Amino acid sequence: MKTDLFQAPDYYNLDDLITEEHKLIRSTARDWVKRDVSPIIEEYAQKAEFPSQIIKGLSEIGAFGPYIPSAYGGAGLDQISYGLIMQEIERGDSGVRSTASVQSSLVMYPIYEYGNEEQRKKYLPKLASGEWMGCFGLTEPNHGSNPSEMETKFKDMGNHYLLNGAKMWISNAPFAQVAVVWAKNEEGRIHGLIVERGMEGFTTPTTHNKWSLRTSATGELIFDNVKIPKENLLPNKSGLGAPLGCLDSARFGIAWGAIGAAMDCYDTALRYCKERVQFKKPIGQFQLQQKKLAEMITEITKAQLLAWRLGTLKNDGKATSAQISMAKRNNVDMAIKIAREARQMLGGMGITGEYSIMRHMMNLESVITYEGTHDIHLLITGLDVTGLNAFK
């Protein structure tokens, strides 16, 4: 098994901006990743398999619903703590961070924010402990960037709802016990429904042959006349704004997580260029390699500042959806560019499982697309600054 030698860069002394509790939370997550994720993750990526044995550890470091109150099993932490945990997990692997992001922001968040007290007490403690895993059903075969046109529908049958439709590209679907599914009622209004594994007509076929996020289990959600108890409707928010609110939380986590992937690629490239000798000197002594490293640490530092400021805004309840979109787009774009440069710095070794870079690079091709594509986030910013809607 590979030894994890990662050392986190902090070029602008940004640790001065966070609390001692934040540092302890980050250290706990970092130590867990080094011990339980890094030594096995290349093997599981090669096998395209989710390492289910890490679920307990994810729960123990507070990765499932860290900002959910302790009364419901969460850690009761702030948003910067959530971001730091996601950063450390994605430093290990984006697929593992996806598993945690979905559980926290796309399953626990809507049940806590949009659900009633009975739903919170029934589901949140089991999700926080990892006893139950969850997934989020929004994207459909024909509707990705435009979820308002979703075709999944439910009818009121008197003593239950009848759900029909399909969702795809669903992280955690193959093993989730709970799915928060977004569907239209007979009036065309979007609502959230809690669907449980075992309900007749509900199936979750696995998506195979992925070259990205290979350690994350991905699947579909198929609903064929599924009877949903009426108490499983999320009562406190409806309309497209409800699932988009969940996506805001997930995108915030991604903005932090991408920094972790970038830091790992930078750290790997920095260490390699000091050790790899060509033309009788370390390749890090050549100007082009130093240019690449200098640009990497500059972009990482800018992304760290962006994420930190967004975290303070989110803690104060002031972060807008457009601000979150900007951070998600910028930081993932930064990370994928650093991964590509780092891969080149390692030459042929960069494509092997001996190093993490190629795995990060492939993973980030998904991260730059999901939770809103790179171009969609650009248009969200454009709409915000001009007031003119390019989506219509």
Side-chain angles (χ1 to χ4, degrees):
M1 290 198 216
K2 186 175 68 172
T3 301
D4 188 338
L5 301 174
F6 174 73
Q7 291 183 295
D10 183 11
Y11 201 74
Y12 260 43
N13 300 328
L14 297 180
D15 273 8
D16 294 346
L17 299 175
I18 62 175
T19 67
E20 291 303 314
E21 182 185 20
H22 288 143
K23 294 172 190 174
L24 177 61
I25 290 163
R26 183 185 61 190
S27 176
T28 300
R30 183 172 296 168
D31 291 346
W32 176 77
V33 168
K34 286 194 171 192
R35 185 185 68 244
D36 290 356
V37 177
S38 298
I40 65 165
I41 202 66
E42 299 295 346
E43 174 191 352
Y44 278 86
Q46 291 285 355
K47 295 189 296 185
E49 181 181 333
F50 172 69
S52 58
Q53 70 271 24
I54 69 172
I55 288 175
K56 185 174 184 292
L58 283 166
S59 171
E60 289 172 349
I61 66 169
F64 295 153
Y67 47 77
I68 299 294
S70 58
Y72 303 108
L77 302 174
D78 72 349
Q79 292 294 320
I80 289 177
S81 298
Y82 173 48
L84 289 168
I85 293 170
M86 294 303 106
Q87 172 185 285
E88 295 305 313
I89 295 173
E90 189 146 2
R91 204 279 300 173
D93 187 74
S94 301
V96 177
R97 198 268 309 140
S98 292
T99 300
S101 282
V102 169
Q103 185 87 337
S104 296
S105 292
L106 302 183
V107 182
M108 297 178 71
Y109 175 88
I111 292 173
Y112 176 70
E113 288 289 339
Y114 311 148
N116 56 36
E117 194 64 12
E118 291 73 24
Q119 292 167 340
R120 295 183 191 118
K121 289 179 177 177
K122 177 179 179 180
Y123 295 105
L124 292 178
K126 290 184 177 180
L127 291 164
S129 70
E131 179 185 348
W132 283 3
M133 296 299 293
C135 63
F136 176 86
L138 181 64
T139 299
E140 296 187 355
N142 295 325
H143 306 286
S145 294
N146 185 16
S148 65
E149 295 296 321
M150 67 175 64
E151 298 169 37
T152 300
K153 294 180 172 62
F154 66 99
K155 290 184 179 180
D156 189 334
M157 305 302 289
N159 61 352
H160 65 272
Y161 299 119
L162 200 63
L163 178 65
N164 281 281
K167 306 291 183 176
M168 71 181 303
W169 303 120
I170 309 301
S171 297
N172 300 357
F175 56 69
Q177 284 80 26
V178 175
V180 173
V181 177
W182 301 94
K184 288 181 177 177
N185 64 11
E186 291 164 274
E187 289 74 44
R189 184 75 176 173
I190 294 171
H191 289 266
L193 300 162
I194 302 173
V195 185
E196 296 182 34
R197 187 170 295 282
M199 290 180 173
E200 187 176 354
F202 174 42
T203 54
T204 59
T206 300
T207 302
H208 295 287
N209 298 323
K210 296 184 301 175
W211 289 112
S212 181
L213 295 182
R214 288 169 63 84
T215 64
S216 173
T218 307
E220 301 173 55
L221 306 177
I222 308 296
F223 313 106
D224 183 6
N225 289 321
V226 182
K227 292 181 180 179
I228 308 295
K230 287 205 163 179
E231 60 265 27
N232 283 33
L233 181 83
L234 295 176
N236 292 334
K237 191 171 179 66
S238 63
L240 187 60
L244 292 183
C246 304
L247 292 178
D248 274 350
S249 182
R251 290 163 176 171
F252 173 80
I254 290 169
W256 284 84
I259 297 170
M263 290 195 302
D264 196 59
C265 292
Y266 166 78
D267 182 64
T268 302
L270 178 62
R271 185 176 298 106
Y272 184 86
C273 80
K274 290 178 179 179
E275 297 169 353
R276 174 66 168 169
V277 174
Q278 289 291 284
F279 306 101
K280 299 182 180 180
K281 60 183 178 182
I283 63 172
Q285 197 170 333
F286 290 98
Q287 290 181 0
L288 283 177
Q289 305 307 310
Q290 291 193 7
K291 174 182 182 293
K292 290 175 181 178
L293 291 166
E295 289 175 341
M296 287 180 190
I297 192 59
T298 301
E299 294 306 314
I300 288 170
T301 301
K302 288 155 63 176
Q304 288 173 319
L305 284 163
L306 192 63
W308 171 80
R309 178 56 182 155
L310 184 62
T312 64
L313 288 170
K314 210 162 190 305
N315 278 340
D316 292 339
K318 296 179 180 178
T320 68
S321 296
Q323 288 169 335
I324 294 169
S325 279
M326 176 183 283
K328 191 270 185 181
R329 180 181 183 274
N330 179 83
N331 289 8
V332 179
D333 184 60
M334 172 276 301
I336 201 168
K337 287 175 178 174
I338 285 177
R340 290 166 180 163
E341 286 280 42
R343 207 291 305 157
Q344 290 194 56
M345 291 178 71
L346 267 67
M349 293 304 294
I351 71 166
T352 73
E354 294 296 314
Y355 297 91
S356 60
I357 293 173
M358 191 70 178
R359 175 171 49 81
H360 282 307
M361 198 167 95
M362 292 191 299
N363 285 340
L364 289 164
E365 289 290 349
S366 290
V367 181
I368 205 167
T369 295
Y370 69 22
E371 314 291 357
T373 69
H374 186 67
D375 291 343
I376 288 293
H377 284 297
L378 187 74
L379 295 180
I380 290 171
T381 304
L383 170 61
D384 195 49
V385 299
T386 66
L388 303 172
N389 193 341
F391 297 106
K392 294 181 180 179

Coordinates of all heavy atoms in Angstrom, one line a residue, residues 4 67 71 81 83 97 112 119 127 132 148 154-155 158 185 191 228 238 240 254 276 290 305 331 333 336 367 371:
D4 N 1.0 8.0 2.2 CA 0.5 9.3 1.8 C 1.5 10.3 2.4 O 1.5 10.5 3.6 CB -0.9 9.5 2.3 CG -1.5 10.7 1.8 OD1 -0.8 11.7 1.5 OD2 -2.8 10.8 1.9
Y67 N -23.3 20.1 9.3 CA -24.0 21.3 9.7 C -25.4 21.0 10.2 O -26.2 21.9 10.6 CB -24.1 22.4 8.6 CG -24.5 21.8 7.3 CD1 -25.8 21.5 7.0 CD2 -23.6 21.5 6.3 CE1 -26.2 21.0 5.8 CE2 -24.0 21.0 5.1 CZ -25.3 20.7 4.8 OH -25.7 20.2 3.7
A71 N -29.1 17.3 17.6 CA -30.4 16.7 17.9 C -30.8 15.6 16.9 O -31.6 14.7 17.2 CB -31.4 17.7 18.1
S81 N -16.4 24.6 8.4 CA -16.1 23.2 8.8 C -16.5 22.2 7.7 O -15.7 21.3 7.4 CB -16.7 22.9 10.1 OG -16.3 23.7 11.2
G83 N -16.9 22.8 4.6 CA -16.0 23.0 3.4 C -14.6 22.3 3.6 O -14.1 21.7 2.8
R97 N -15.6 12.1 -2.0 CA -16.2 13.3 -1.6 C -17.7 13.4 -2.2 O -18.6 13.9 -1.5 CB -15.4 14.5 -2.1 CG -15.7 15.8 -1.4 CD -16.8 16.6 -2.2 NE -16.4 16.8 -3.5 CZ -17.3 16.7 -4.5 NH1 -18.6 16.5 -4.3 NH2 -16.9 16.8 -5.8
Y112 N -33.9 18.0 6.3 CA -33.9 18.9 7.5 C -34.6 20.2 7.2 O -35.4 20.8 8.0 CB -32.4 19.2 7.9 CG -32.3 20.2 9.0 CD1 -32.7 19.9 10.3 CD2 -31.8 21.5 8.7 CE1 -32.6 20.9 11.3 CE2 -31.7 22.5 9.7 CZ -32.1 22.2 11.0 OH -32.0 23.1 12.0
Q119 N -40.2 13.4 9.8 CA -39.3 13.0 8.8 C -37.8 13.2 9.3 O -37.0 12.3 9.1 CB -39.5 13.8 7.5 CG -40.8 13.4 6.9 CD -41.2 14.4 5.8 OE1 -40.8 15.5 5.7 NE2 -42.1 14.0 4.9
L127 N -29.0 8.5 8.7 CA -28.2 9.0 7.6 C -26.9 9.6 8.1 O -25.8 9.4 7.6 CB -28.9 10.1 6.8 CG -30.1 9.6 5.9 CD1 -31.0 10.8 5.5 CD2 -29.6 8.8 4.7
W132 N -27.9 4.3 7.1 CA -28.6 4.4 5.8 C -27.8 5.4 5.0 O -27.2 6.4 5.4 CB -30.0 5.0 6.0 CG -31.0 4.0 6.5 CD1 -30.7 2.7 6.9 CD2 -32.4 4.2 6.7 NE1 -31.9 2.1 7.3 CE2 -32.9 3.0 7.2 CE3 -33.2 5.4 6.6 CZ2 -34.3 2.9 7.5 CZ3 -34.5 5.2 6.9 CH2 -35.1 4.0 7.4
S148 N -36.4 22.0 -15.0 CA -37.8 22.4 -14.9 C -38.6 21.6 -15.9 O -39.9 21.6 -15.7 CB -37.9 23.9 -15.2 OG -37.5 24.2 -16.5
F154 N -46.0 12.4 -10.3 CA -46.8 11.6 -9.3 C -48.2 12.1 -9.3 O -48.5 13.3 -9.5 CB -46.1 11.7 -7.9 CG -46.2 13.0 -7.2 CD1 -47.1 13.3 -6.3 CD2 -45.2 14.0 -7.5 CE1 -47.2 14.5 -5.6 CE2 -45.2 15.2 -6.9 CZ -46.2 15.5 -5.9
K155 N -49.1 11.1 -9.0 CA -50.5 11.4 -8.9 C -51.0 11.1 -7.5 O -50.6 10.2 -6.8 CB -51.3 10.5 -9.9 CG -51.1 10.8 -11.4 CD -52.0 9.9 -12.2 CE -51.8 10.3 -13.7 NZ -52.6 9.4 -14.6
G158 N -55.5 9.3 -3.4 CA -56.3 9.2 -2.3 C -55.6 9.0 -1.0 O -55.3 9.9 -0.2
N185 N -46.3 17.2 -9.6 CA -47.7 16.7 -9.4 C -48.6 17.0 -10.6 O -48.1 17.4 -11.6 CB -48.2 17.4 -8.1 CG -48.4 18.9 -8.2 OD1 -48.3 19.5 -9.3 ND2 -48.7 19.6 -7.1
H191 N -42.2 18.8 -6.4 CA -42.2 18.5 -5.0 C -41.1 17.5 -4.8 O -40.7 16.7 -5.7 CB -43.5 17.9 -4.5 CG -44.6 18.9 -4.5 ND1 -45.0 19.6 -3.3 CD2 -45.5 19.4 -5.4 CE1 -46.0 20.4 -3.6 NE2 -46.3 20.3 -4.8
I228 N -46.1 5.8 -3.0 CA -45.4 6.6 -2.0 C -46.4 7.0 -0.9 O -47.4 7.6 -1.2 CB -44.8 7.8 -2.7 CG1 -44.0 7.5 -3.9 CG2 -44.0 8.6 -1.6 CD1 -42.8 6.6 -3.6
S238 N -41.7 23.8 -2.1 CA -42.0 23.2 -3.4 C -41.5 24.1 -4.5 O -41.0 25.2 -4.2 CB -43.4 22.8 -3.6 OG -44.2 24.0 -3.5
L240 N -39.2 24.7 -8.2 CA -37.8 24.4 -8.6 C -36.8 25.0 -7.6 O -35.7 24.4 -7.5 CB -37.5 25.0 -10.0 CG -36.2 24.7 -10.7 CD1 -36.0 23.2 -10.9 CD2 -36.0 25.4 -12.0
I254 N -18.4 21.5 -3.2 CA -17.5 21.2 -4.4 C -16.5 22.3 -4.5 O -15.3 22.0 -4.8 CB -18.4 21.1 -5.6 CG1 -19.2 19.8 -5.6 CG2 -17.5 21.1 -6.9 CD1 -20.2 19.7 -6.7
R276 N 13.2 14.1 -9.4 CA 13.4 13.6 -10.8 C 14.6 14.4 -11.4 O 14.5 15.6 -11.5 CB 12.1 13.8 -11.6 CG 12.3 13.4 -13.1 CD 12.6 12.0 -13.3 NE 12.4 11.6 -14.7 CZ 12.8 10.5 -15.3 NH1 13.4 9.5 -14.5 NH2 12.7 10.2 -16.6
Q290 N 9.3 25.6 -13.0 CA 9.1 26.5 -11.9 C 7.9 27.4 -12.3 O 7.1 27.8 -11.4 CB 10.3 27.4 -11.7 CG 11.4 26.6 -11.0 CD 12.5 27.4 -10.5 OE1 12.4 28.7 -10.4 NE2 13.6 26.8 -10.0
L305 N -8.9 31.6 -0.9 CA -9.5 32.9 -0.5 C -10.9 33.0 -0.9 O -11.8 33.5 -0.1 CB -8.6 34.1 -1.0 CG -7.3 34.3 -0.3 CD1 -6.4 35.2 -1.1 CD2 -7.5 34.9 1.1
N331 N -13.2 27.3 -9.0 CA -12.3 26.4 -8.3 C -12.2 25.0 -9.0 O -11.1 24.4 -9.0 CB -12.8 26.2 -6.9 CG -12.6 27.5 -6.1 OD1 -12.2 28.5 -6.6 ND2 -12.8 27.4 -4.8
D333 N -12.5 24.6 -12.3 CA -11.7 24.9 -13.5 C -10.2 25.1 -13.1 O -9.3 24.5 -13.8 CB -12.2 26.3 -14.1 CG -11.4 26.6 -15.4 OD1 -11.5 25.8 -16.3 OD2 -10.8 27.7 -15.4
I336 N -8.8 21.4 -12.4 CA -8.6 20.5 -13.6 C -7.4 21.0 -14.4 O -6.7 20.2 -15.0 CB -9.9 20.4 -14.5 CG1 -9.9 19.2 -15.3 CG2 -10.2 21.7 -15.3 CD1 -11.2 18.8 -16.0
V367 N -16.6 16.4 -12.2 CA -16.9 17.5 -11.2 C -17.2 18.8 -12.0 O -18.0 19.6 -11.5 CB -15.7 17.6 -10.2 CG1 -16.1 18.7 -9.2 CG2 -15.5 16.3 -9.5
E371 N -23.6 19.1 -10.9 CA -24.1 20.2 -10.1 C -24.0 21.5 -10.8 O -23.7 22.6 -10.3 CB -23.2 20.3 -8.8 CG -23.0 19.0 -8.1 CD -24.2 18.4 -7.4 OE1 -25.3 19.0 -7.5 OE2 -24.1 17.3 -6.9

